[in-house]
Amino acid sequence: MTYLVGYSPHKDDSCALALACQLARSESDTVTAVTVVPRGWETVAGSATDGDFEQWAAEEGEASAAEAQGRLGAYPDVQSSAIWVTGRSVPAAILDEAKRLDAALIVVGSGQDGPEGQVSVSSKVDRLLHSSHVPVAIAPRGYAPAVSSTVTRVTLAFRDDDATWNLLDRVATICQRVGAELRLMTVALKQRTMVSSGVRRNETLVYANLVEQVTAAQTEAVEHLASQGITASTLVATGDSWPDALASVPFADGDVLVVGSSSTHKLANVFLGSSAAKILRNSTVPVIVVP
């Protein structure tokens, strides 16, 4: 089983390579870095312009693959390789390679315009997230774990719906296999409105009831896992906004965050719902989005 890394010669994707190797090391899997270079348009046979373009594309691909392989050399304990392919759409070409290689996971880096140390979704990654048939892992910008590190804790964004319950069992099994801790996190936002004290008291009661329901659902999930011999901790992330709530969650080296895609979408692929998208874009640790 291999983890496919989308590697670009035009930006620093070492964080994606580092994350892929960290994940692969945890599962004793392999890593394949893939560079996508432009594919030429159909032209008259023998066109010099077409030949020049193909030569340039091949040189770009070879150089990028060599660069990726050189960076992968920093992780000698992980079996890895680097290749290049042509395509008119980077996300489509990556998905095609994921199918061809039977990849278990696609790993990408954050957009260059995002803040350092936080997950940022570029337009290409956004299209990938809405089309992938396999989980997609996104490294925060500048992510640089220790060379020999593994995943030590998985935080699952828990919604208490059927899709999340199915995901719970899958994630718990993986955690048990790799020896990682499992933590269930539910976000409960406070509503701030300028109203009378009486209405504010009612809102406080509503929020307290919400937290009580969330806690009860998490307790049920923990008991379900305990019946299978699996231990999990819980956390309710609170705040006035999504950034505040995510900032309140204590994360450490070796943490990854897992979110499921929308349970209302009909296709069996990644399609982010509103909550998952907000969690993703405010995370300071790698995020794995699961179909």
Side-chain angles (χ1 to χ4, degrees):
M1 185 165 62
T2 191
Y3 294 163
L4 186 156
V5 184
Y7 186 81
S8 170
H10 303 298
K11 69 175 186 175
D12 182 6
D13 269 341
S14 57
C15 55
L17 295 176
L19 175 58
C21 289
Q22 183 184 34
L23 296 171
R25 184 181 297 109
S26 302
E27 287 269 52
S28 299
D29 290 325
T30 65
V31 171
T32 303
V34 178
T35 293
V36 180
V37 297
R39 177 183 299 165
W41 296 97
E42 295 296 331
T43 58
V44 177
S47 167
T49 302
D50 184 53
D52 290 344
F53 181 87
E54 289 183 355
Q55 181 180 354
W56 170 85
E59 291 173 352
E60 283 280 295
E62 292 289 349
S64 180
E67 180 179 283
Q69 191 65 70
R71 291 186 172 183
L72 286 168
Y75 311 95
D77 60 319
V78 177
Q79 183 180 343
S80 61
S81 60
I83 62 175
W84 65 275
V85 297
T86 61
R88 297 202 176 101
S89 164
V90 172
I94 287 178
L95 291 174
D96 287 343
E97 282 303 296
K99 289 181 180 179
R100 185 182 71 82
L101 297 170
D102 194 23
L105 184 74
I106 296 172
V107 185
V108 294
S110 285
Q112 291 180 297
D113 296 332
E116 190 77 12
Q118 189 169 315
V119 170
S120 175
V121 179
S122 66
S123 59
K124 290 179 181 178
V125 171
D126 187 60
R127 292 199 297 273
L128 188 65
L129 281 172
H130 287 79
S131 305
S132 180
H133 61 287
V134 297
V136 177
I138 308 174
R141 188 177 173 211
Y143 186 64
V147 171
S148 60
S149 66
T150 60
V151 174
T152 56
R153 180 171 58 185
V154 175
T155 298
L156 173 64
F158 185 72
R159 287 194 307 258
D160 191 30
D161 57 10
D162 290 342
T164 310
W165 273 90
N166 291 333
L167 182 57
L168 172 67
D169 286 334
R170 292 170 60 188
V171 173
T173 299
I174 294 173
C175 288
Q176 193 173 38
R177 186 169 69 240
V178 304
E181 298 177 19
L182 175 59
R183 178 172 64 177
L184 309 184
M185 177 194 76
T186 306
V187 177
L189 295 183
K190 301 175 183 177
Q191 299 297 319
R192 298 182 62 186
T193 54
M194 300 300 293
V195 293
S196 66
S197 59
V199 174
R200 186 174 292 110
R201 282 196 296 271
N202 289 337
E203 287 185 346
T204 301
L205 291 174
V206 169
Y207 182 71
N209 185 55
L210 169 64
V211 173
E212 182 178 346
Q213 291 177 351
V214 166
T215 303
Q218 290 182 336
T219 300
E220 182 182 359
V222 168
E223 291 174 350
H224 165 73
L225 293 173
S227 68
Q228 303 177 46
I230 301 173
T231 302
S233 61
T234 62
L235 172 72
V236 179
T238 62
D240 297 325
S241 64
W242 286 95
D244 287 345
L246 268 293
S248 73
V249 179
F251 285 113
D253 294 341
D255 277 349
V256 297
L257 180 58
V258 175
V259 299
S261 53
S262 174
S263 60
T264 61
H265 197 258
K266 296 180 180 180
L267 299 179
N269 58 13
V270 171
F271 192 92
L272 289 177
S274 175
S275 297
K278 290 171 182 175
I279 291 173
L280 171 68
R281 287 172 169 81
N282 287 284
S283 178
T284 57
V285 297
V287 179
I288 301 175
V289 187
V290 184

